[in-house]
Amino acid sequence: MRRPLQHPARIVPLAFLCAIAVGTVLMLLPVTREGPGGPSFVTALFTATSAVSVTGLTVVDTATYWSDTGHVLILVLAQLGGFGILAVATLVSLLVSQRLGLRSRLVARAESSLALGDVGRVLGRIALTMLVCESVIAVFVAGRLWIHYDYPFGRAVWYGVFHAVQAFNNAGFALYSDSFVRFVGDWWICLPLAAGMAAGGLGFPVLFELARRLGRPANWSTHTRLTVWGGLVLAVVGLLVFLTFEWSNPLTLGPLGVDEKLIAAIFQDMSTRAGGFNSLDFNAMNTETTVVAIVLMFIGGGSASTAGGIKITTFFLLAYVIWAEVRGEPDVVIGRRRIAETTQRQAITIALLGVAVVTGGTLLLIALTDGVQLDRALFEVTSAFATVGLSTGLTSNLPHSAQIVLIVLMFIGRVGTIAVASAIALNARTRLYRYPEDRPIVG
């Protein structure tokens, strides 16, 4: 084990594998299931992987299959997965020893995209930010359930805390069999959850910069500009798509009033890019909406966030690369800043690897499942890879071999981009020579 641990980029997958293994063992305990006996190994492994990778895909009904103990375990695993296994270990080490060595700083930086000198302080701010945001969301949800829906106070608080953690960490597990379909038009529940999913999907570097420079967008870093403005563009596009193609659909937005349609579209738009909750039946949506949802899931949220996908910055950076190439510009410029060629290659690498993983996963899912349609297989695979957690209902009906494919995709989606980006950054080297240039025919 010494050789893998010498490289921080290798520690990230190992840490998450250990967390998944421990989570699986705990989920196998009979006390976690609501009923006689314990769950099957694949069910426990799938649920633990989904929780640690903050995905939210399930092969059983979370509300009825798992006991209160199982729900608490899912909550803990999702919180650990969202904050980061290595970030938790680093913070505990800091609290115990009051200092961090270089290796601890490197492994925390590999997972959290932190500056080496700021690891301890920033991790504390991350923990505080998560606690505050989750507490605010929990107050709104619990208060609404207690006052308007007559939940007992203790049960309302538990439901509020559970779903607040799921929302901010973009995990997507719900204590309702229909997720949030029953609350489709409730502003007091859907809006706080949507805001939590959006905040968690921005990423902590962006949240910290917005806290300092919210009213001075001209002073934002390139990363924050791409994440915020790119996220707004994707949010508007998603909202318009849901409203346009589902407005008259009798199985989704059709029966709702205008205000309910708006809140349902906002909630589902935010959830598609990260959260994993659903207040509408994705299996009943039009094909046009499903296609756009797949694209939004694949893009995902902000870097160093709890969201998955190839990330907003990657997608829009590639858009700028294409725009510069079309215009014949020698450099890629964003806001009077020239983007380094190494960053451009890293974005291309992550995007193309994401396409390859989703394509391969879809082919495997179709090969292992009889009669599955291409669009439904692609939707489930993209949801797993992007750690979104939305489903058309296919996942629970897949054979175990296909469910294992989704388990691998969830793991890759959670740690793959982190490991690839860290490996590229840490392996960067400068050559003392360059080969002669050549220009093969392209296109």
Side-chain angles (χ1 to χ4, degrees):
M1 292 295 293
R2 181 176 298 177
R3 184 177 178 183
L5 293 178
Q6 288 177 350
H7 200 304
R10 298 189 186 115
I11 302 179
V12 178
L14 288 174
F16 275 86
L17 278 176
C18 292
I20 290 171
V22 173
T24 301
V25 172
L26 294 176
M27 295 300 296
L28 282 170
L29 297 176
V31 71
T32 63
R33 183 181 175 183
E34 190 68 49
S40 67
F41 174 76
V42 174
T43 299
L45 175 62
F46 194 101
T47 304
T49 305
S50 184
V52 172
S53 64
V54 288
T55 302
L57 276 178
T58 59
V59 292
V60 294
D61 182 4
T62 302
T64 59
Y65 186 87
W66 301 108
S67 65
D68 291 340
T69 303
H71 293 154
V72 171
L73 182 56
I74 290 173
L75 172 70
V76 172
L77 292 176
Q79 184 78 336
L80 289 176
F83 186 72
I85 306 301
L86 293 174
V88 171
T90 304
L91 188 59
V92 171
S93 174
L94 177 63
L95 293 175
V96 172
S97 64
Q98 301 298 314
R99 61 184 297 272
L100 289 177
L102 179 59
R103 181 174 298 277
S104 296
R105 296 177 187 274
L106 285 172
V107 297
R109 182 185 186 277
E111 183 185 20
S112 306
S113 300
L114 305 174
L116 288 180
D118 296 335
V119 170
R121 178 173 58 85
V122 175
L123 285 179
R125 292 174 62 190
I126 290 175
L128 180 62
T129 301
M130 293 185 75
L131 178 62
V132 171
C133 290
E134 291 169 357
S135 298
V136 172
I137 300 168
V139 167
F140 275 99
V141 176
R144 183 65 170 174
L145 293 176
W146 180 43
I147 296 173
H148 185 75
Y149 293 96
D150 297 326
Y151 277 49
F153 180 76
R155 184 165 175 246
V157 170
W158 164 239
Y159 273 57
V161 170
F162 183 91
H163 293 112
V165 171
Q166 303 301 315
F168 187 79
N169 289 286
N170 295 160
F173 286 93
L175 296 180
Y176 300 103
S177 299
D178 60 355
S179 192
F180 283 87
V181 174
R182 67 186 66 190
F183 303 113
V184 63
D186 194 323
W187 291 74
W188 291 98
I189 289 181
C190 290
L191 275 187
L193 291 175
M197 290 185 285
L202 282 176
F204 294 106
V206 174
L207 289 176
F208 294 156
E209 185 166 357
L210 291 179
R212 299 193 310 268
R213 305 172 180 170
L214 181 61
R216 295 175 291 167
N219 296 330
W220 290 353
S221 66
T222 302
H223 172 73
T224 297
R225 290 181 181 181
L226 285 173
T227 303
V228 173
W229 300 126
L232 286 176
V233 169
L234 294 177
V236 171
V237 169
L239 179 62
L240 293 177
V241 166
F242 277 107
L243 290 175
T244 301
F245 295 116
E246 300 300 321
W247 187 271
S248 301
N249 187 341
L251 299 177
T252 55
L253 293 181
L256 304 177
V258 175
D259 57 336
E260 292 178 325
K261 289 180 179 179
L262 181 60
I263 185 59
I266 293 174
F267 184 83
Q268 211 57 80
D269 180 25
M270 291 295 101
S271 186
T272 300
R273 290 183 30 240
F277 292 138
N278 67 283
S279 59
L280 300 172
D281 184 3
F282 268 88
N283 194 36
M285 289 186 181
N286 293 313
T287 304
E288 299 87 345
T289 310
T290 303
V291 170
V292 175
I294 291 173
V295 174
L296 292 175
M297 288 192 297
F298 182 75
I299 296 172
S303 299
S305 74
T306 54
I310 64 170
K311 309 300 185 184
I312 297 173
T313 47
T314 303
F315 177 78
F316 281 97
L317 177 57
L318 291 178
Y320 273 99
V321 171
I322 294 172
W323 180 243
E325 189 65 26
V326 169
R327 298 183 62 187
E329 297 287 345
D331 299 317
V332 177
V333 178
I334 303 177
R336 298 183 180 180
R337 290 292 185 271
R338 179 171 53 87
I339 305 302
E341 292 185 2
T342 53
T343 304
Q344 298 175 41
R345 291 200 300 268
Q346 183 175 341
I348 293 172
T349 301
I350 291 174
L352 291 182
L353 285 177
V355 171
V357 170
V358 170
T359 302
T362 302
L363 290 174
L364 280 175
L365 210 65
I366 292 175
L368 296 172
T369 309
D370 295 330
V372 64
Q373 298 176 351
L374 174 61
D375 57 341
R376 297 187 69 190
L378 180 60
F379 189 95
E380 303 293 316
V381 166
T382 306
S383 179
F385 167 74
T387 66
V388 174
L390 293 174
S391 176
T392 59
L394 177 63
T395 297
S396 58
N397 297 318
L398 292 174
H400 284 174
S401 56
Q403 291 176 356
I404 291 175
V405 171
L406 294 183
I407 290 173
V408 174
L409 288 170
M410 288 188 290
F411 177 77
I412 293 175
R414 181 66 180 97
V415 305
T417 54
I418 297 173
V420 169
S422 300
I424 293 174
L426 292 172
N427 287 333
R429 63 189 67 180
T430 302
R431 290 186 182 273
L432 300 179
Y433 60 89
R434 300 181 72 182
Y435 290 106
E437 186 179 90
D438 199 358
R439 292 175 179 262
I441 300 174
V442 177

